[in-house]
RNA sequence: CGGAGCGUGGCGCAGCUUGGUAGCGCACCUGCUUUGGGAGCAGGGGGUCGAAGGUUCAAAUCCUUUCGCUCCGACCA
C-alpha cells in the first residue's frame, strides 16, 4: 500500500476524549474514530488489525472442529422471554420495535438464537456433538461505556456454542475450546492467563476467563504464588480465621452521635474494625436483604447475588432504610430486625462481643453475641479477598491481586437454555434428553486494545508481528528521483516475497515519516535516503526494541526474512 | 441512575469571573527557501461559540431548558 493513497489520519496530540493508553493510541494512530459513546468506526489500518485477529481466531476455531455461521443481530423478544433472560439482561439490551409494535433487541449475545436455531434440526444423539461459532458485532447498552473499545456498546465478538449429549461430552468440548483459546491468544502475541470466573448472567457451572494482565484492566484477579490458583476476585476465596471475642457480657446500647461508618466507630470506640459487624443493606429483586460481614471485610456483591440466586442486586437507597428495613442509614444492625432476610459471612458464625448498629439514629449495641442477641439462618462466603491473604486451595501460598483485561470467557452452560427453550434429542434408548451446552466468547475488538496496552512505548504502538496491519514499512526520504525509484523497486520486491508492505511515498519531511511509522507500530522499518543509497545500504529499524542496523541492498530480501523471523 | 467536569474552525486550547460583536498553536491552501527526526518566512481560507428559549441597546460571556462527551460512583451504613 502506498501511503500517499492510504486513509490514515494520525494525530500529533492526545485526543481529549481518551484516558488510557490503548484508547489514545488507537485514535492517534488512525485506527478508529468515535461515533457515539462506546461506538466506533474502524479505519483501514484498524480494520486490518481486526481482520488479522479474526482470522487467527477463525483458524483455531476451525481446527478445533467448530463451524462458522452468521446469526442475526436483530432478535425477537420472544426467544429472550423463552429463556427467561428478557428481564435478567434487562436494561443491558438495546430494545426496539418494528412498525407493528413487535418487540426486538439487538443481540448482546446469541445463546437464545443458537438454541432456537438448532432445536428443530437436532433430533438424534447421532446429530451431536456440534459446535457453531460466528464473528459478529454485538450490542450492549452498557451502564458506562469507557476506555474506547475496551468497554464499548458496540463491539466485535467471536462467540461459539457447543452442543453435546451429556456432561462428559461438554467437558471435552470445553477442553477443546480452552486449548483453542490458548493457541489463539499466543498467536496474537498476547500474554493471557486463564482464571476461574463467575458465570454471571450466562448461568451454568464451570467458567474460565482469559485475562491479559494490564494495570488499566477493569477486572481484579487473585493469583496464588505457590499453587498456581488463579481466580477473578468476584469468585476468589481466601483462607481466613473465624471471628470470636469470647465475651459473655450483657448486650448494651451505647450513644454514638453521628458515628456512621466503620472507620468512625473504630476511632470513637477505640476498637479494631474486626470488632464491628458490618451490616450492608441490599435490595435483591426488590426484596430487602441484610448482609453481615466483619468490619474489616468488604462485601463481594457477586457472591451475595449468587447465594441469593437473584437477577438484580443493588444497594438500598437512603429512603428505603425506613420503608424496607425499618431502620436508619448508618445505624442498621441485625438485632431486633424482624422480617428481614439476613445473610451472614461465614466468618461470623460464632461471633461474640461485637459492636453493631441499633436500628436507631445515633445508637449502636456493644457486647453483641450471635445466637443470643440475634439469629442468622443463612451463612455464606460473602467477602472480597484482599491482596496478601492466604490461599484456600493449597493452604500454603499467598494471594496477590493484579488487574487484568478479560479477552475471552468460556462457560459450561449445561441444560439451562435447552430446557427453557425445548432443545432436546432422542438418546439411544429413544428417550428425550436436553442438549448440554457450552458458550465461548472472545472479544475481538477488546483484544486489539489489550494488545496495545501490553505492547507500546513513548513513541506509539508496537504491534506483535501476527496482528500488525502491515509487517514492513519503507520510508522513502527526500525528493531524490533515485530514492523514489529504489524505494519502489524494494517495495515491489518485498511484496513479491509475500510480505505486507507499506511504502511511505508521501511528500512529507523525514521527521513526520519517522514519527508516523513509530506511532502506527509496524514491526520492521526500512529507511531509504540518498546517503545510504550511495553506500548500497538501507537502514532497518526493529520496532520492538528500536534497534537500528544497516542492510546491504544486494541481499536485502534474505536479510529481511531473517529479521522478520526473529521479531515476535 | 447519583456526583463532577467539559462542549469555542479538522485537532488541542484561551476568552466567560467583570456582557461591547472571537483568538492562539497545530493542521489546511498559495509562493519562495529548506529537505535523515513532527521546517522557516510571507500571504490566505475556514467558526450558527453544542441546541432552544429568555434577560439586555448589545450574549461565547448572565438565566432557564435540553442534547452530547468524559471522569468517579452506583456496595461497605
Amino acid at each position: 500500500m502506498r501511503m500517499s493513497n492510504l486513509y490514515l489520519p494520525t494525530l500529533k496530540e492526545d485526543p481529549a476524549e481518551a484516558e488510557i493508553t490503548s484508547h489514545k493510541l488507537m485514535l492517534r494512530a488512525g485506527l478508529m474514530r468515535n461515533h457515539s459513546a462506546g461506538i466506533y468506526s474502524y479505519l483501514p489500518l484498524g480494520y486490518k488489525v481486526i481482520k488479522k485477529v479474526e482470522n487467527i481466531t477463525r483458524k483455531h476455531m476451525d481446527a478445533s472442529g467448530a463451524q462458522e455461521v452468521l446469526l442475526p443481530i436483530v432478535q425477537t423478544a420472544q426467544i429472550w422471554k423463552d429463556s427467561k433472560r428478557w428481564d435478567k439482561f434487562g436494561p443491558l439490551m438495546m430494545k426496539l420495535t418494528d412498525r407493528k409494535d413487535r418487540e426486538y433487541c439487538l443481540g448482546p449475545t446469541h445463546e437464545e438464537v443458537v438454541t432456537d436455531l438448532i432445536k428443530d434440526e437436532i433430533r438424534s444423539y447421532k446429530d451431536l456433538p456440534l459446535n457453531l461459532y460466528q464473528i459478529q458485532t454485538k450490542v450492549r447498552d452498557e451502564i458506562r461505556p469507557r476506555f474506547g473499545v475496551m468497554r464499548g456498546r458496540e463491539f466485535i465478538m467471536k462467540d461459539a456454542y457447543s452442543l453435546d449429549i451429556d456432561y462428559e461430552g461438554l467437558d471435552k468440548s470445553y477442553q477443546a475450546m480452552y486449548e483453542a483459546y490458548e493457541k489463539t491468544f499466543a498467536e496474537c502475541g498476547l500474554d493471557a492467563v486463564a482464571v476461574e470466573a463467575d458465570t454471571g448472567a450466562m448461568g451454568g457451572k464451570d467458567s474460565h476467563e482469559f485475562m491479559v494482565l494490564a494495570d488499566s484492566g477493569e477486572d481484579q484477579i487473585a493469583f496464588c504464588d505457590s499453587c498456581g490458583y488463579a481466580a477473578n476476585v468476584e469468585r476468589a476465596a481466601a483462607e481466613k480465621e473465624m471471628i470470636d471475642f469470647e465475651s459473655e457480657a450483657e448486650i448494651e446500647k451505647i450513644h454514638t452521635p453521628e458515628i456512621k461508618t466503620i472507620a468512625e466507630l473504630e476511632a470513637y470506640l477505640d476498637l479494631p474494625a474486626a470488632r464491628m459487624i458490618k451490616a450492608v443493606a441490599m435490595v435483591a429483586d426488590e426484596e430487602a436483604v441484610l448482609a453481615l460481614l466483619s468490619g474489616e471485610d468488604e462485601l463481594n456483591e457477586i457472591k451475595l447475588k449468587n447465594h441469593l440466586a437473584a437477577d438484580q442486586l443493588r444497594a438500598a437507597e437512603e429512603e428505603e432504610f425506613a420503608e424496607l428495613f425499618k431502620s436508619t442509614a448508618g445505624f442498621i444492625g441485625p438485632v431486633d430486625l424482624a422480617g428481614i432476610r439476613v445473610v451472614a459471612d461465614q466468618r461470623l458464625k460464632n461471633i461474640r462481643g461485637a459492636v453493631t448498629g441499633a436500628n436507631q439514629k445515633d445508637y449502636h449495641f456493644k457486647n453483641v453475641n450471635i445466637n443470643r442477641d440475634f439469629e442468622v439462618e443463612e451463612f455464606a462466603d460473602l467477602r472480597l479477598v484482599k491482596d496478601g491473604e492466604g490461599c484456600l486451595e493449597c493452604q500454603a501460598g499467598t494471594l496477590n491481586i493484579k488487574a487484568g483485561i478479560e479477552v475471552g470467557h468460556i462457560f459450561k452452560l449445561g441444560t439451562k437454555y435447552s430446557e427453557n427453550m425445548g432443545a432436546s434429542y432422542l438418546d439411544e434408548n429413544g428417550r428425550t434428553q436436553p442438549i448440554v451446552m457450552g458458550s465461548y466468547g472472545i472479544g475481538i475488538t477488546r483484544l486489539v486494545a489489550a494488545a496495545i496496552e501490553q505492547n507500546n512505548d513513548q513513541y506509539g504502538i508496537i504491534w506483535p508481528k501476527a496482528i500488525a496491519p502491515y509487517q514492513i514499512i519503507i520510508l522513502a526520504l527526500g525528493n531524490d528521483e533515485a530514492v523514489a525509484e529504489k524505494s519502489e523497486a524494494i517495495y515491489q520486491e518485498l511484496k513479491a516475497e509475500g510480505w505486507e508492505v507499506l511504502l511511505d511515498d508521501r511528500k512529507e519531511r523525514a521527521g513526520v515519516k519517522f514519527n508516523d511509522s513509530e506511532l502506527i507500530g509496524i514491526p520492521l522499518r526500512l529507511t531509504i535516503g540518498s546517503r545510504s543509497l550511495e553506500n548500497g545500504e538501507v537502514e532497518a529499524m526493529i520496532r520492538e526494541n528500536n534497534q537500528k542496523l544497516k542492510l546491504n541492498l544486494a541481499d536485502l530480501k534474505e536479510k529481511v526474512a531473517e529479521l522478520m523471523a526473529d521479531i515476535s
Side-chain angles (χ1 to χ4, degrees):
Chain A
M1 183 77 199
R2 289 181 177 76
M3 286 179 75
S4 55
N5 298 327
L6 181 64
Y7 178 43
L8 177 66
T10 57
L11 303 174
K12 213 184 280 189
E13 294 172 279
D14 281 338
E17 71 190 66
E19 198 70 17
I20 65 168
T21 305
S22 60
H23 190 193
K24 286 178 184 167
L25 287 174
M26 287 180 83
L27 294 167
R28 284 191 54 207
L31 304 184
M32 65 175 191
R33 285 294 181 263
N34 177 261
H35 170 76
S36 167
I39 301 177
Y40 294 86
S41 297
Y42 300 101
L43 311 189
L45 222 54
Y47 192 41
K48 240 179 161 258
V49 175
I50 287 170
K51 284 185 281 190
K52 292 250 173 141
V53 173
E54 287 181 352
N55 285 333
I56 291 169
T57 306
R58 193 170 271 130
K59 179 174 100 185
H60 292 291
M61 292 305 294
D62 289 344
S64 78
Q67 300 173 57
E68 188 168 10
V69 294
L70 187 60
L71 304 169
I73 298 181
V74 177
Q75 306 178 0
T76 60
Q78 193 53 51
I79 57 172
W80 287 86
K81 288 173 179 167
D82 291 346
S83 75
K84 304 188 169 44
R85 285 210 295 183
W86 185 251
D87 294 326
K88 185 145 195 161
F89 260 73
L92 193 64
M93 289 198 284
M94 268 315 175
K95 293 173 184 166
L96 56 152
T97 51
D98 67 7
R99 66 177 76 204
K100 291 181 176 170
D101 264 351
R102 287 178 295 220
E103 285 185 294
Y104 293 86
C105 69
L106 298 179
T109 175
H110 285 71
E111 280 81 9
E112 280 75 3
V113 169
V114 163
T115 311
D116 184 60
L117 172 73
I118 56 92
K119 73 176 184 189
D120 297 330
E121 325 290 343
I122 306 287
R123 297 163 201 285
S124 159
Y125 69 95
K126 293 173 193 165
D127 298 328
L128 298 172
L130 192 61
N131 187 325
L132 300 177
Y133 80 96
Q134 64 164 347
I135 296 176
Q136 206 212 39
T137 297
K138 296 280 189 283
V139 179
R140 294 184 185 175
D141 192 5
E142 291 284 346
I143 298 175
R144 182 143 95 86
R146 62 181 137 187
F147 303 150
V149 93
M150 202 74 92
R151 181 167 296 280
R153 291 196 296 172
E154 187 181 291
F155 57 98
I156 300 172
M157 180 169 165
K158 184 288 302 177
D159 46 323
Y161 306 91
S162 68
L163 308 164
D164 281 282
I165 57 170
D166 55 19
Y167 281 89
E168 202 180 318
L170 172 60
D171 289 345
K172 277 187 202 152
S173 298
Y174 189 86
Q175 187 59 29
M177 286 294 106
Y178 190 108
E179 287 165 17
Y181 274 39
E182 289 187 315
K183 289 177 193 161
T184 301
F185 297 129
E187 186 168 338
C188 288
L190 285 177
D191 185 10
V193 290
V195 310
E196 290 181 20
D198 183 69
T199 55
M202 291 298 164
K205 299 155 54 110
D206 294 348
S207 168
H208 285 88
E209 288 168 336
F210 289 79
M211 293 283 186
V212 168
L213 295 185
D215 290 340
S216 57
E218 294 184 287
D219 287 280
Q220 301 285 311
I221 308 142
F223 290 95
C224 174
D225 59 10
S226 174
C227 71
Y229 170 79
N232 193 308
V233 293
E234 290 176 346
R235 157 183 251 268
E239 176 73 6
K240 287 297 281 184
E241 73 286 359
M242 303 294 280
I243 303 178
D244 181 8
F245 294 95
E246 299 182 8
S247 155
E248 289 301 337
E250 281 302 302
I251 186 167
E252 186 184 333
K253 188 182 279 189
I254 52 177
H255 189 51
T256 50
E258 294 300 321
I259 306 295
K260 294 183 172 187
T261 66
I262 297 289
E264 287 164 0
L265 267 179
E266 272 188 272
Y268 187 76
L269 300 176
D270 193 23
L271 288 172
R275 220 48 214 239
M276 328 291 174
I277 294 175
K278 179 182 286 186
V280 187
M282 303 293 293
V283 178
D285 298 335
E286 300 315 304
E287 180 200 4
V289 174
L290 192 68
L292 303 182
L293 294 123
S294 163
E296 63 182 15
D297 288 343
E298 312 249 321
L299 174 63
N300 182 331
E301 261 190 54
I302 305 285
K303 287 182 180 177
L304 178 61
K305 190 172 170 184
N306 288 340
H307 172 82
L308 298 170
D311 286 341
Q312 307 287 343
L313 181 71
R314 61 175 173 82
E317 283 161 30
E318 195 82 22
E319 316 82 64
E320 291 174 321
F321 278 80
E323 307 163 27
L324 284 176
F325 292 86
K326 315 244 180 325
S327 183
T328 173
F331 303 94
I332 195 165
V335 180
D336 300 329
L337 197 70
I340 305 292
R341 184 168 178 186
V342 176
V343 185
D345 183 68
Q346 56 198 11
R347 291 186 74 197
L348 302 181
K349 215 159 207 163
N350 306 313
I351 190 163
R352 288 176 291 178
V355 175
T356 184
N359 298 316
Q360 183 184 348
K361 185 169 167 24
D362 294 340
Y363 287 93
H364 280 78
F365 285 121
K366 70 173 185 180
N367 305 328
V368 174
N369 288 10
I370 197 166
N371 300 327
R372 182 191 71 181
D373 305 316
F374 68 99
E375 302 283 334
V376 173
E377 287 177 12
E378 297 176 67
F379 290 92
D381 173 19
L382 296 181
R383 62 187 299 278
L384 203 58
V385 301
K386 293 181 208 154
D387 195 60
E389 291 181 341
C391 175
L392 192 61
E393 204 71 14
C394 66
Q395 314 262 324
T398 302
L399 296 178
N400 295 310
I401 295 182
K402 295 177 189 162
I405 301 165
E406 178 192 354
V407 291
H409 200 160
I410 58 179
F411 301 86
K412 288 185 185 173
L413 296 175
T415 57
K416 172 180 167 172
Y417 297 91
S418 46
E419 283 181 1
N420 282 339
M421 300 181 67
S424 57
Y425 68 94
L426 290 184
D427 68 14
E428 289 165 285
N429 303 314
R431 280 215 292 265
T432 299
Q433 302 283 1
I435 294 171
V436 182
M437 298 175 62
S439 160
Y440 316 89
I442 290 179
I444 301 284
T445 38
R446 180 184 280 179
L447 189 157
V448 172
I452 295 172
E453 287 293 326
Q454 221 167 48
N455 301 285
N456 69 81
D457 65 12
Q458 58 184 302
Y459 306 110
I461 301 170
I462 304 173
W463 289 116
K465 183 170 58 179
I467 62 172
Y470 291 87
Q471 297 154 334
I472 300 169
I473 183 167
I474 298 170
L475 304 193
L477 300 187
N479 294 321
D480 194 339
E481 274 296 313
V483 167
E485 280 169 24
K486 196 66 204 176
S487 301
E488 175 72 23
I490 294 171
Y491 170 61
Q492 296 298 349
E493 182 186 16
L494 293 177
K495 277 213 307 183
E497 289 290 298
W499 299 111
E500 295 169 290
V501 191
L502 267 183
L503 172 62
D504 195 346
D505 58 342
R506 296 176 299 170
K507 302 254 173 291
E508 290 288 353
R509 301 173 63 83
V512 173
K513 296 188 180 189
F514 284 129
N515 283 305
D516 273 349
S517 79
E518 284 149 18
L519 177 61
I520 66 176
I522 308 302
L524 179 64
R525 177 172 86 196
L526 301 177
T527 305
I528 297 159
S530 44
R531 279 183 222 165
S532 54
L533 219 49
E534 281 170 21
N535 304 326
E537 291 175 332
V538 302
E539 181 194 273
M541 190 181 93
I542 314 286
R543 183 64 180 96
E544 67 182 336
N545 54 22
N546 295 335
Q547 292 292 310
K548 294 178 183 170
L549 56 158
K550 301 284 185 199
L551 302 183
N552 276 316
L553 280 170
D555 59 350
L556 186 63
K557 65 184 181 193
E558 290 79 9
K559 284 283 186 262
V560 164
E562 281 173 32
L563 286 175
M564 286 302 301
D566 284 341
I567 292 173
S568 59

